[in-house]
Amino acid sequence: MSVLTPHEADYLMEFHIGSPKRKILAIADTGSDLIWIQCHPCVGCYLQDEPLFEPTKSTTYKKLLYETYYCYALGTVKRRGYLDCCKYNFSYLSGMYTLGVLSSDTVYLDSINGGVASFPKLAFGCGHQNHANFNSRVQGVVGLGGGLLSLISQLIKTKIEHKFSYCLVPRGATTTSKLRFGSGATMKGTIVVSTPLVDERPRTFYFLNLLGITIGNETIYESQNRGNIIIDSGTTLTMLNSNMYNGVEAMVQKAIGISPIPNPPLKFRLCYRTNSSVNINIPEMIFHFNGAKLHLPSTNTFMIYQDLYCMAIVSNDELSIFGNVAQVNFQVEFNLQKREVSFASVNCSTV
């Protein structure tokens, strides 16, 4: 189990690493695999509040060699380093990257009975050159994807029963929530809907089938229904292909009935003034996944930016993503043995 804390556009999970133990706050990301933290010495790295992790001070730290299982799992983004260690170069779609040495150390997570569970020889990236637009609280990223290097895949080899779940509180909340593993991840006593995971490549991503989106009495249907969207805790906005997005935007504008502002900021496509004398009634959206209907209130589809209400859904023809704003106040359970994702609408501050 790990505490999840909302932080700007992301969610930070807490864990400990090394001997003696060091507390780490890192972004929880179901859209990537690599676990990495900033390590000393660090050249050209972003500033962080806490001291850098010093591998030479951990008695359980080891550099992984080039000819090893986890180094092969990096694919092409690796090279043979000094003394045959495995050097990695890992980049993200956002443009951020981390370079360093693939390593192993003991990682510690809280257990549901109040104790601490230790996971020795967990593979992670010791980042010695990292570029990211992170706040100084962030010490790295924890990949929770489906690939071989992710925290989930490495823990499955121990005792988490192929399950994990999380619940995201609204950004700006003063409360925290939990990321749970194993039997503690199972949802109980709530109305649960489930949708199958679709086996597509790359294995990192958790692909779902989005069938359509309903607003009021209108529905726009997705024409390509096999693994057409991924669910990602590390992406803020929901992204849809342009045909789907244009239909949703037209339905939203029709339902609201007033003119949006021209030239909205950042990546937003549809924004309204919050100080308008006209009451803005944001409609509920129903996302139809295969076998599961998710009723999303305005808090899951719109967000406040400065003096604007902006739709937290944008157009992207490269990859459709069900982002973390859409997942707020849903308990989300991944059962990798059954190959399904389940949702339950809850107050995440209380579960």
Side-chain angles (χ1 to χ4, degrees):
M1 184 177 70
S2 175
V3 173
L4 280 180
T5 303
H7 180 67
E8 296 182 345
D10 297 297
Y11 291 84
L12 303 183
M13 67 170 288
E14 179 183 314
F15 64 98
H16 290 79
I17 189 169
S19 303
K21 294 189 292 185
R22 269 287 308 275
K23 177 181 173 181
I24 301 291
L25 288 176
I27 291 172
D29 183 19
T30 60
S32 68
D33 292 326
L34 184 66
I35 308 162
W36 65 269
I37 59 176
Q38 294 207 116
C39 287
H40 179 82
C42 217
V43 180
C45 295
Y46 64 89
L47 294 177
Q48 67 177 49
D49 294 335
E50 297 298 322
L52 296 172
F53 178 72
E54 295 195 42
T56 57
K57 292 186 177 180
S58 172
T59 59
T60 45
Y61 172 87
K62 286 186 179 179
K63 294 179 180 179
L64 294 180
L65 299 181
Y66 186 82
E67 300 286 344
T68 53
Y69 171 81
Y70 286 120
C71 193
Y72 285 129
L74 283 169
T76 58
V77 286
K78 68 177 187 297
R79 63 184 176 87
R80 191 185 297 266
Y82 177 66
L83 295 180
D84 208 35
C85 68
C86 178
K87 300 192 78 173
Y88 72 87
N89 181 348
F90 194 87
S91 59
Y92 297 78
L93 294 175
S94 64
M96 84 177 188
Y97 62 81
T98 173
L99 285 76
V101 178
L102 196 65
S103 309
S104 72
D105 209 331
T106 302
V107 167
Y108 304 86
L109 297 169
D110 293 335
S111 61
I112 56 175
N113 61 11
V116 176
S118 62
F119 302 92
K121 300 181 180 179
L122 203 85
F124 75 103
C126 212
H128 295 290
Q129 183 178 345
N130 314 299
H131 172 73
N133 187 26
F134 288 159
N135 181 282
S136 57
R137 289 186 66 196
V138 181
Q139 295 166 259
V141 174
V142 177
L144 300 170
L148 296 175
L149 280 166
S150 81
L151 179 65
I152 301 305
S153 295
Q154 293 191 63
L155 295 189
I156 279 175
K157 293 182 178 180
T158 55
K159 48 187 177 182
I160 68 163
E161 302 176 18
H162 299 264
K163 296 177 187 175
F164 72 100
S165 70
Y166 56 77
C167 210
L168 306 180
V169 298
R171 60 184 23 82
T174 56
T175 54
T176 60
S177 55
K178 299 291 192 299
L179 169 63
R180 294 180 168 92
F181 306 96
S183 59
T186 303
M187 293 184 278
K188 300 173 183 177
T190 54
I191 299 174
V192 178
V193 295
S194 301
T195 186
L197 282 166
V198 181
D199 292 325
E200 292 285 353
R201 298 288 179 180
R203 293 303 298 269
T204 297
F205 296 145
Y206 297 113
F207 290 94
L208 308 177
N209 283 343
L210 177 63
L211 306 180
I213 298 173
T214 296
I215 298 174
N217 295 321
E218 295 184 80
T219 301
I220 181 167
Y221 295 96
E222 175 59 77
S223 57
Q224 198 279 321
N225 289 332
R226 178 164 176 81
N228 55 23
I229 192 167
I230 70 168
I231 179 169
D232 184 9
S233 65
T235 296
T236 305
L237 304 178
T238 290
M239 302 181 183
L240 303 173
N241 69 68
S242 54
N243 288 337
M244 192 79 169
Y245 173 81
N246 291 336
V248 169
E249 182 182 297
M251 290 191 294
V252 170
Q253 288 200 54
K254 180 180 176 182
I256 291 176
I258 62 176
S259 298
I261 67 164
N263 304 315
L266 303 179
K267 295 181 180 180
F268 296 119
R269 294 280 300 272
L270 186 64
C271 293
Y272 295 87
R273 295 281 178 200
T274 58
N275 58 2
S276 170
S277 60
V278 180
N279 187 32
I280 302 174
N281 293 312
I282 299 171
E284 178 188 74
M285 298 188 195
I286 303 174
F287 274 59
H288 301 267
F289 293 100
N290 186 12
K293 292 181 182 180
L294 288 191
H295 293 255
L296 301 186
S298 61
T299 50
N300 292 99
T301 58
F302 271 72
M303 59 192 299
I304 294 177
Y305 178 76
Q306 296 178 352
D307 63 341
L308 301 173
Y309 279 129
C310 293
M311 188 163 73
I313 302 172
V314 295
S315 177
N316 183 3
D317 282 324
E318 293 183 8
L319 184 65
S320 292
I321 301 174
F322 194 62
N324 63 38
V325 172
Q327 299 175 58
V328 165
N329 281 334
F330 281 94
Q331 192 170 4
V332 184
E333 178 193 328
F334 293 73
N335 188 320
L336 303 182
Q337 195 162 47
K338 288 186 176 180
R339 302 297 299 162
E340 69 179 16
V341 179
S342 300
F343 301 88
S345 178
V346 296
N347 180 349
C348 287
S349 299
T350 62
V351 296

